[in-house]
């Protein structure tokens, strides 16, 4: 089932971010140990009345501020193109401004469904200005206060009125996607795997415009292969706004079980490769690094490049690395066995008795350090989830768990059980059951 996209647009300080956080149900926080992922986040999956959709926040458009405004307009335009529904957030307190009219013109050209959310209706001035906004010329206007919950239900009902509820008969075939920066060879790799020219291939960065699902047959099994657009360049787009055009890739990651992170061997590893891999890991997806265009590299051997990958992706040392050339199909045969192996690992379940034995041995070998005279005690461990594997440990005080000790326990689990290619979650609960 295709999940629709909703974009929030508007000028600065009209309350878009507050509304964004309210709809997704949490504050977007910065996660430091995955490079550059969350601080750039303008995209989240949301649910309302069992209806799923992607929510995109955009920067405020302000013609008076020349710096970065062109980038923000490009970002907003991409979001508008991606969206089925656009929520145009305006400030009821201040009334219509010239920036609102500029955004109105952008939205009219899109011919998309537009809902005008007149925010800050908890103040007197907004109630006086409300009818002025009808001059914008759209069909739907909903007065709201994103802080005080006014009009929220009406807004969400209107946003999702044509969205479908999640279907129960979802496709259970393994899904994996090909992600990476522009021009690393994603489409070529898809064609090589499918053994047919299914996708337009070009050396112009950003050629692929849509996510495409294909059925891949391998050893009499069917898999769903999802190609992604990576980052699209519309005209001459500044590199710094690449992060704003990740929508299709992010959607594909959400729908996938495993992500193939393609790296261009000719160019080496770039910072944005880490951002893309980091998002897949944050979403709990299995991950495989695919070093493409290996036939073009003459002065480096596999061992040296693998060492480089491990050094640059220290947050994903468990991920397998495959070296190949999608164009010549050299070493292509090494990829699918790794996909199958990771598929088994993301679904792997460990017997409770074996897990407790490993955790107990690890604790006895290296007890947790004491803190203010108190020491962490682990009473019982069990696996409580898959995709990714999740382990719950009952302890005396979860506040005593240091991140270094958590990492130690994860490493011990990996030493005893093969979880190649999959992140894992360790959850600590007090024995009383308190989260």
């Amino acid at each position: 089932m295709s999940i629709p996209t909703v974009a929030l647009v508007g000028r600065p300080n009209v309350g878009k971010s507050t509304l964004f956080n309210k709809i997704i149900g949490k504050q977007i926080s910065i996660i430091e140990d995955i490079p550059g992922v969350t601080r750039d986040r303008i995209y989240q999956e949301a649910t309302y009345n069992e209806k799923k959709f992607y929510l995109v926040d955009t920067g405020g458009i302000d013609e008076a501020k020349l710096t970065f405004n062109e980038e923000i307009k490009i970002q907003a335009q991409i979001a508008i193109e991606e969206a089925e529904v656009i929520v145009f957030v305006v400030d009821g307190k201040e009334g219509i401004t010239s920036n609102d009219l500029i955004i109105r013109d952008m939205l009219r050209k899109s011919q998309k469904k537009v809902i005008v959310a007149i925010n800050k209706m908890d103040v007197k001035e907004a109630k006086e200005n409300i009818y002025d906004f009808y001059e914008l010329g759209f069909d739907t206007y909903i007065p709201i206060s994103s802080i005080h919950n006014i009009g929220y239900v009406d807004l969400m009902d209107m946003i999702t009125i044509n969205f479908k509820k999640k279907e129960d008969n979802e496709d259970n075939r393994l899904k994996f996607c090909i992600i990476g920066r522009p021009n690393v060879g994603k489409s070529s790799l898809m064609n090589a795997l499918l053994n047919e020219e299914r996708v337009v291939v070009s050396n112009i960065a950003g050629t692929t415009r849509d996510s495409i699902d294909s059925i891949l047959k391998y050893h009499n099994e069917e898999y769903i292969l999802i190609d992604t657009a990576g980052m699209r360049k519309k005209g001459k787009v500044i590199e710094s706004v690449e992060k704003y055009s990740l929508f299709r890739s992010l959607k594909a990651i959400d729908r996938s079980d495993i992500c193939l992170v393609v790296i261009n061997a000719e160019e080496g590893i770039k910072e944005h490769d880490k951002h893309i891999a980091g998002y897949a890991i944050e979403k709990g997806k299995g991950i495989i690094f695919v070093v493409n265009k290996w036939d073009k590299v003459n002065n480096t051997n596999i061992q040296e490049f693998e060492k480089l990958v491990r050094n640059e992706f220290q947050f994903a040392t468990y991920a397998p690395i495959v070296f190949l050339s999608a164009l010549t199909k050299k070493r292509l045969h090494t990829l699918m066995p790794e996909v199958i192996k990771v598929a088994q690992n993301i679904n792997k379940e460990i017997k409770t008795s074996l897990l407790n034995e490993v955790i107990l041995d690890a604790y006895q070998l290296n007890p947790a350090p004491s803190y203010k005279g108190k020491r962490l005690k682990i009473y019982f461990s069990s696996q409580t989830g898959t995709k990714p594997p999740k382990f719950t440990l009952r302890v005396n005080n979860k506040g005593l768990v240091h991140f270094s000790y958590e990492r130690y326990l994860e490493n011990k689990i990996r030493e005893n059980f093969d979880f190649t290619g999959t992140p894992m979650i360790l959850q600590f609960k007090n024995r009383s059951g308190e989260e």
Side-chain angles (χ1 to χ4, degrees):
M1 180 180 70
S2 178
I3 300 178
T5 298
V6 177
L8 303 181
V9 299
R11 58 186 178 83
N13 302 318
V14 294
K16 295 190 305 300
S17 295
T18 303
L19 182 59
F20 179 85
N21 288 332
K22 183 172 182 59
I23 292 173
I24 65 170
K26 60 182 177 181
Q27 297 287 327
I28 298 298
S29 58
I30 295 174
I31 299 175
E32 295 293 350
D33 57 346
I34 300 177
V37 178
T38 313
R39 70 187 65 172
D40 295 332
R41 182 65 47 75
I42 50 169
Y43 161 101
Q44 279 284 324
E45 187 177 286
T47 303
Y48 178 76
N49 283 351
E50 299 181 38
K51 297 177 179 180
K52 277 189 176 182
F53 57 94
Y54 297 112
L55 185 66
V56 183
D57 192 11
T58 61
I61 296 172
D62 186 353
E63 286 296 301
K65 295 180 179 179
L66 298 178
T67 307
F68 299 123
N69 191 58
E70 194 59 35
E71 295 177 18
I72 291 170
K73 285 178 70 175
I74 293 169
Q75 165 205 347
Q77 193 61 53
I78 293 169
I80 290 166
E81 289 179 13
E82 290 295 320
E84 281 79 16
V85 177
I86 299 159
V87 179
F88 181 10
V89 185
V90 295
D91 187 332
K93 183 179 178 181
E94 292 190 20
I96 292 181
T97 69
S98 58
N99 283 321
D100 291 327
L101 298 177
I102 290 168
I103 297 166
R104 174 200 64 185
D105 294 341
M106 290 176 63
L107 296 181
R108 280 181 173 175
K109 291 176 184 176
S110 74
Q111 296 184 328
K112 299 287 183 72
K113 175 182 175 179
V114 175
I115 300 169
V116 180
I118 308 172
N119 196 18
K120 306 184 183 179
M121 289 305 296
D122 50 309
V123 298
K124 180 182 177 182
E125 293 90 339
K127 294 174 183 176
E128 294 172 352
N129 293 329
I130 186 170
Y131 294 106
D132 294 344
F133 289 101
Y134 286 83
E135 295 177 18
L136 294 171
F138 295 106
D139 294 330
T140 306
Y141 299 82
I142 299 179
I144 68 166
S145 170
S146 52
I147 293 178
H148 292 94
N149 214 30
I150 297 171
Y152 178 74
V153 172
D154 292 339
L155 177 62
M156 296 307 299
D157 285 344
M158 184 56 66
I159 288 172
T160 60
I161 190 169
N162 293 318
F163 296 173
K164 295 180 180 178
K165 291 188 177 182
K166 184 179 177 181
E167 296 175 0
D168 294 327
N169 56 338
E170 290 188 5
D171 194 334
N172 291 320
R173 289 174 292 187
L174 181 86
K175 300 178 181 67
F176 64 99
C177 67
I178 302 171
I179 59 176
R181 294 183 294 108
N183 208 26
V184 294
K186 298 185 297 296
S187 296
S188 296
L189 178 58
M190 185 174 188
N191 289 337
L193 286 169
L194 295 171
N195 201 28
E196 59 181 277
E197 295 298 314
R198 185 77 61 92
V199 183
V200 176
V201 181
S202 167
N203 61 2
I204 301 172
T207 298
T208 310
R209 296 177 63 90
D210 297 296
S211 295
I212 303 168
D213 289 7
S214 297
I215 296 175
L216 169 67
K217 291 189 177 181
Y218 181 80
H219 290 183
N220 297 319
E221 291 287 335
E222 288 190 353
Y223 303 85
I224 304 297
L225 177 55
I226 305 170
D227 186 29
T228 60
M231 280 59 71
R232 187 200 318 181
K233 287 192 177 182
K234 185 175 182 180
K236 209 171 186 182
V237 177
I238 305 169
E239 187 177 351
S240 62
V241 303
E242 278 190 345
K243 61 177 175 282
Y244 296 125
S245 53
L246 276 166
F247 304 134
R248 292 187 182 90
S249 291
L250 300 184
K251 288 181 187 178
I253 289 170
D254 284 341
R255 294 173 49 224
S256 299
D257 302 306
I258 298 171
C259 300
L260 309 185
V261 181
V262 183
I263 299 168
N264 186 336
E266 282 187 293
E267 296 178 352
I269 298 166
K270 305 291 185 182
E271 194 66 23
H272 207 57
D273 293 323
K274 300 178 190 178
H275 295 177
I276 294 167
Y279 188 87
I281 292 167
E282 186 191 278
K283 284 293 190 177
K285 306 301 180 179
I287 187 168
I288 299 171
F289 292 115
V290 179
V291 181
N292 190 28
K293 306 185 183 182
W294 188 243
D295 55 316
K296 302 287 183 68
V297 178
N298 298 317
N299 58 349
T300 307
N301 60 41
I302 284 179
Q303 289 74 21
E304 289 174 348
F305 204 98
E306 183 170 344
K307 187 176 179 181
L308 176 64
V309 173
R310 293 300 181 208
N311 185 57
E312 293 291 333
F313 294 93
Q314 292 185 21
F315 55 91
T317 54
Y318 53 81
I321 307 169
V322 175
F323 295 81
L324 54 77
S325 168
L327 202 60
T328 66
K329 298 187 180 179
K330 186 177 181 180
R331 297 180 55 86
L332 183 68
H333 67 280
T334 63
L335 180 55
M336 282 307 296
E338 293 295 338
V339 171
I340 293 169
K341 183 178 180 180
V342 174
Q344 293 169 344
N345 289 343
I346 62 176
N347 288 291
K348 182 174 291 183
E349 296 185 34
I350 305 301
K351 287 184 178 180
T352 302
S353 58
L354 291 177
L355 178 65
N356 277 279
E357 186 178 320
V358 168
I359 297 296
L360 181 61
D361 287 348
Y363 185 82
Q364 290 177 341
L365 180 66
N366 181 20
S370 62
Y371 178 71
K372 292 184 178 180
K374 297 181 179 180
R375 190 185 299 274
L376 176 73
K377 292 181 181 179
I378 303 174
Y379 300 116
F380 183 77
S381 308
S382 61
Q383 184 171 354
T384 51
T386 57
K387 288 187 175 182
K390 179 180 179 181
F391 302 95
T392 300
L393 287 73
R394 295 285 179 176
V395 298
N396 59 329
N397 183 349
K398 65 179 183 179
L400 297 173
V401 181
H402 192 271
F403 76 89
S404 61
Y405 199 74
E406 180 178 348
R407 189 167 297 169
Y408 163 73
L409 293 175
E410 178 181 333
N411 290 338
K412 284 300 179 182
I413 294 173
R414 290 188 183 278
E415 285 176 18
N416 286 272
F417 309 105
D418 185 2
F419 281 108
T420 301
T422 178
M424 66 172 61
I425 298 170
L426 266 61
Q427 180 184 48
F428 295 86
K429 288 187 176 183
N430 294 343
R431 188 161 58 171
S432 62
E434 177 188 343
E435 285 289 341

